[in-house]
Each structure stands twice: as structure tokens, then as C-alpha cells.
Amino acid sequence: MRMKRIISIALCFLVVFALCPPVLAVDDTITWTGEGSDDYWSTSDNWEPAQIPVAGDIAVIPESKTAAVTANTTVTLDCSGEVLVEAGGHLSLAGTSYLRDGKLGERGEGTPGEITIASGDLQWSGGIIEGDGTFTVNSGAQLNIETDSDVALSRPLVNNGQIMINSGTLCLTGGSGSMLEGGGGTGTFTVSDDADLEFMQGAYSIGGDFVNGGNLSIWEDSSALFKADYRQESTGTLALKIWGSESDEYCKLDVDGEAELGGILEIDFIADYVPQPGDTFEVLTCDLRTGEFSSITNNMEEDGITLVPTYTDTSLTLTVSDGTATVWEVANATELETALNGFQSDDTIKLTAGFTYNKGIVIDGKNVTFDTGSFTLQVNNLTDTAPGVGLEVNNGGNVYLIGSGEFNIRQVGGNVSYGVKVANVSTAMVTNVQVTVYEDDAGVGAYADDTDSSIHVLGNVHVMGVGGCGAKTVGSGSITVDGTITAMIYINIGSTYKDISSSVEDPAKPGYLKYC
């Protein structure tokens, strides 16, 4: 009997305990009232209910309220007021947090407090994030900005996750932490269509891929180094400031990866700087460039200032033009490349030394004068067994030649290669033409199509190859050779081959033979 009685008592005790569990909070939303004896986060009387929020809780800071974080705190935050992180404090955000027209800042002296999006995301619709302590987006976390106005981040930024500006404007003034250590993080950055990102002050290191579909501005007090790929979509605009012609007097887009260009480049001349014709600005450097800006504008276009782009595989340089003809002085192949990429119609390319240019030249729809002076420009286009053209002029373009020097064209290639080729009411003047065709394929020294296009060779035309033709015209195309033609096929007009005996003397030019 005694044993049974003990068991019964124990069972009754367990039943009572199960029916009366300890009292626990079932609502994880805890709201700041600030009614405690201080404004510290760690004072339970400042909260309703009177308990300190911990990880997994939602801490609500109402408008016009201020809470001070003094220690390591992890929480999901819904802030319309102010959260100030004091020296030694660290506010870590988890879950989906909100910053609504409030402020995440700091207070006090000593080591600045830090703010981290540890996991989940922060939805930022208004207000500011400021202070000297680092603002960090952890790997796998997100900062999403969606606002109708401007938001400002003045803390040093380390982004190892993802920052997405979906609408509104993000203004950056805090830099990227320790630039010497690449402290900007490795995360990605996306600016959506109609959204804005402004690097207003400080040096920034963007470690992950960057996509600009909206508006990106780099101001004179800031710089940005993109350490991965930069892509600007057709809807994007890049705005750069220029306040002088020296390399440290204008903003640049520095990309350590590939730069994929599209959209608009907008240049703003500031600080009373008046650009002069010939001033140059290397506004882009990259490991590899693809694409081009669809348009390049500036705020002094009404004053007649235009910017001529020169694209290379790794850079973009802008040259100031006042709309009048420019003389491009060139002494080597690199300078000629710049001139060919940047000249405007009616400009002059002037040799200040003789050199060889190992590419073909294409003049499309523009007029250009080559002033050889007393020097020789040797265009040497070697395309191996592939077809090639030494000098091609299209779409109403015109190549004029002045000076006592030489402008020679040499093309070595396969079937069908041309020394000089003009089409669509274009003209070209050169000194000598030499074509060598691989494997005895067909090649032409000078070719003019049937739209009143013309070529004038001041010297000789020499073509090597069994199928090589010295000069070929179609319809109303015309070719004048002041020297001699050497080729297996002397002249071809339309589909008719002409030899020396087919000529007549040209009454308009005594001493010349004419073929029609």
C-alpha cells in the first residue's frame, strides 16, 4: 500500500506541471517606449512588453523615438525613429528588417560602433545610415532600396552580399573602409532602371559585378574602382565631372574586369573650367572593353563644345572639338590609331614622322586629308590567307592627300583582297599600291564601284598573283594611275579585260592612256 501511494502522488505532480507551464511571451514583436530611466537598448523598462529584444524578435522603433545600442545585439528591426550604436556596440540585423524614414547612426567617443546586415535583408525606404563605424552586408544578405526620395549612407561600406537600388537615389559619402586592403567587399551592385546611385565623396572599391540600368554619377570628391565586371545597359546613364584637363582633374570609370558599354555617357564641366579644342580626358580604363555608349553629351554643347570619342580595347578617351576642323599630328602608329578613331569630317591627319601602320584603314562617310609633309606613311595590312583591304572608303567618304611625302598601301591576303577599294560615291588619293595574293587567288590593286567613285594613285600599282588585276572599275567608277600598273591582268572594266593595246590617248591629259 505504501508504494502505490507514492506513485500516485508523483503522477499527480506531473499532471499539474503539464497543465500549468511557465508563462512565456508569445508575441515576438517588442516596441520601444523609452519610458525607462535611460535610453539604453539593454534597459527592459524601455520596451513593451518589458523585455530586451533578442535574436528572432522584431524590435520596433517608432517615429521620434531614440534607442542606444551599447553591446552586441542581433535582432530583426523595424525602425521609423533612431537607433544609435555607441562605442563598442554592434547592431546585427537578421530576417527582414526595415528602415522607414529613420536613422541608423552612432553616439559617443571611442571605437565607432558597427552595423551589419548579418542575414536576410534590410528594406530601406527612407532616412539615413551614418557614422564612422563600418556598415557591412554579409555574404548571402541583401540591402534593398526602394524609395520615392533620396537616402544617404555616410558610413564606410563593405558589401559582401548584394545591394539593389530598385527606385529612388542612394547617396554615398563614407568610402569603402580600408582601400589598402580592398575593404570594399566582394558583393554585387545593381542599379535598376530609373534608380540612381551617386558616389558623392570618398574612395570606393566595388568588389563584385556591377550592373547599371539606371543613373550612376561619380562626383569630383569621390572615386570608384570596379574590381570586377561593369555592365551598363541601354537604359543606363553614367555621369562624370570634369574640372580641368590634368589626369587628376576629372572623374574616371576604372574597371579591373570587363567593361560592357551601352546607354549614355554624360559629361559635366564644372568649377568654371572652359575646355579647349584638343584637350583630352581618358575617362575609362578596363581590362577589356565591349560595346560603346549610344551617345555622349555634355553641358556645354550650346557653346559649340563637342567631345570626340576614341575607343580602344582597354580605354575610352574624349577629345574636345569646337566644331571646326582639327589637325591631328601623328608620329607613330598609336597616335594614328587615336586620330582614326577620333577625327571628324574635314579634319587633317598630319605626319610629323615616317612610320608603318600594321592595319587596314576604313574611312566611312567622312572627309579626311592626309598631310604627309616630307614623310612616308606605310599602311601594311597582312591578313594571311584571309581577304583584306589596305584602304577602304565608303558611303560618301573622301581621302585627300597633300604634302611631298608618300602614303603607300600594301595588302597581303587571300581571295579576294584589295589594295584600295572605294564605294558609294567615295574618293581616295594615295601614292603607291602593292597587293600580294596568297595561293594565286584573285586580287585587285585598285577598285572603284559604279556610283561615281574614284581613285587617284600618284605612283604605281603592283599586284602579285596569277589572278591579280591591277585596276578594276564598274560602271561610272574611275581610276587614275600616274605611274605604271604591273599585274597578270592589267585592267578590268566591268567584265572586260583590257591590255595595253586596248587604250586610247586621253585628249584631256596628254601622255596618259585611257581605257573605257
Side-chain angles (χ1 to χ4, degrees), residues 471 478-485 490-491 493 498-516:
S478 65
I479 298 173
T480 299
V481 179
D482 289 353
T484 61
I485 296 176
Y490 186 52
I491 290 173
I493 297 177
K498 303 284 186 175
D499 58 22
I500 295 178
S501 64
S502 304
S503 66
V504 296
E505 290 189 4
D506 188 351
K509 299 182 71 173
Y512 280 75
L513 300 179
K514 185 176 182 180
Y515 300 83
C516 299

Side-chain angles (χ1 to χ4, degrees), residues 96 117 504:
T96 299
I117 307 177
V504 296

Side-chain angles (χ1 to χ4, degrees), residues 235-258:
T235 57
T237 296
L238 170 65
L240 303 175
K241 312 299 178 183
I242 294 180
W243 57 98
S245 58
E246 299 297 325
S247 60
D248 60 350
E249 293 180 327
Y250 54 88
C251 298
K252 303 178 181 68
L253 182 68
D254 292 321
V255 182
D256 276 355
E258 179 178 344

Side-chain angles (χ1 to χ4, degrees), residues 201-432:
Q201 187 174 0
Y204 287 87
S205 173
I206 309 301
D209 289 346
F210 190 100
V211 178
N212 178 28
N215 303 295
L216 171 64
S217 298
I218 303 177
W219 291 73
E220 67 270 25
D221 292 327
S222 186
S223 64
L225 171 62
F226 297 84
K227 302 185 73 173
D229 292 345
Y230 175 92
R231 184 171 86 246
Q232 181 160 312
E233 298 177 337
S234 61
T235 57
T237 296
L238 170 65
L240 303 175
K241 312 299 178 183
I242 294 180
W243 57 98
S245 58
E246 299 297 325
S247 60
D248 60 350
E249 293 180 327
Y250 54 88
C251 298
K252 303 178 181 68
L253 182 68
D254 292 321
V255 182
D256 276 355
E258 179 178 344
E260 183 179 341
L261 304 182
I264 298 171
L265 173 60
E266 179 184 292
I267 299 297
D268 293 323
F269 295 106
I270 62 173
D272 297 325
Y273 169 63
V274 179
Q276 300 299 310
D279 286 353
T280 60
F281 318 98
E282 188 181 44
V283 295
L284 165 68
T285 59
C286 58
D287 287 347
L288 177 65
R289 178 196 61 82
T290 59
E292 296 181 359
F293 294 110
S294 60
S295 65
I296 299 175
T297 65
N298 74 85
N299 61 336
M300 297 187 69
E301 290 178 347
E302 292 184 357
D303 298 323
I305 298 299
T306 60
L307 294 171
V308 179
T310 300
Y311 290 97
T312 71
D313 291 341
T314 59
S315 69
L316 167 61
T317 299
L318 303 178
T319 302
V320 176
S321 172
D322 61 0
T324 62
T326 299
V327 176
W328 301 74
E329 294 189 348
V330 299
N332 52 55
T334 300
E335 292 177 353
L336 177 58
E337 180 87 9
T338 299
L340 291 172
N341 285 322
F343 81 91
Q344 297 299 295
S345 193
D346 298 322
D347 284 356
T348 296
I349 297 177
K350 180 179 180 179
L351 300 185
T352 59
F355 58 90
T356 298
Y357 182 70
N358 291 313
K359 284 185 180 181
I361 293 177
V362 178
I363 305 298
D364 193 355
K366 296 179 182 180
N367 302 328
V368 60
T369 297
F370 283 86
D371 182 356
T372 60
S374 59
F375 304 103
T376 296
L377 170 60
Q378 179 71 47
V379 175
N380 193 26
N381 194 34
L382 277 65
T383 55
D384 295 324
T385 58
V389 181
L391 171 64
E392 184 172 359
V393 189
N394 289 315
N395 300 317
N398 295 283
V399 172
Y400 306 110
L401 186 61
I402 62 176
S404 60
E406 295 184 357
F407 180 20
N408 298 326
I409 305 296
R410 178 171 179 257
Q411 168 66 41
V412 178
N415 185 29
V416 171
S417 291
Y418 299 87
V420 179
K421 180 180 180 181
V422 296
N424 301 319
V425 200
S426 300
T427 67
M429 181 181 291
V430 296
T431 309
N432 296 289

